[in-house]
Short mmCIF file of all heavy atoms in Angstrom, two decimals:
data_model
loop_
_atom_site.label_atom_id
_atom_site.label_comp_id
_atom_site.label_asym_id
_atom_site.label_seq_id
_atom_site.Cartn_x
_atom_site.Cartn_y
_atom_site.Cartn_z
N CYS A 29 81.51 82.09 90.20
CA CYS A 29 82.55 83.09 90.57
C CYS A 29 82.67 84.15 89.47
O CYS A 29 82.77 83.81 88.30
CB CYS A 29 83.86 82.34 90.69
SG CYS A 29 85.29 83.44 90.85
N CYS A 32 86.46 83.78 87.58
CA CYS A 32 86.78 82.67 86.68
C CYS A 32 85.58 81.96 86.14
O CYS A 32 85.68 81.13 85.20
CB CYS A 32 87.69 81.68 87.39
SG CYS A 32 86.91 80.79 88.79
N CYS A 48 87.27 81.57 96.26
CA CYS A 48 86.76 80.77 95.17
C CYS A 48 87.57 79.45 95.03
O CYS A 48 88.81 79.54 94.98
CB CYS A 48 86.82 81.54 93.85
SG CYS A 48 86.49 80.52 92.38
N CYS A 51 89.70 79.75 91.35
CA CYS A 51 90.79 80.73 91.15
C CYS A 51 91.37 81.29 92.38
O CYS A 51 92.35 82.04 92.34
CB CYS A 51 90.34 81.84 90.21
SG CYS A 51 89.03 82.86 90.99
ZN1 ZN B 17 87.01 81.97 90.75
#
Side-chain angles (χ1 to χ4, degrees):
C29 171
C32 66
C48 168
C51 64

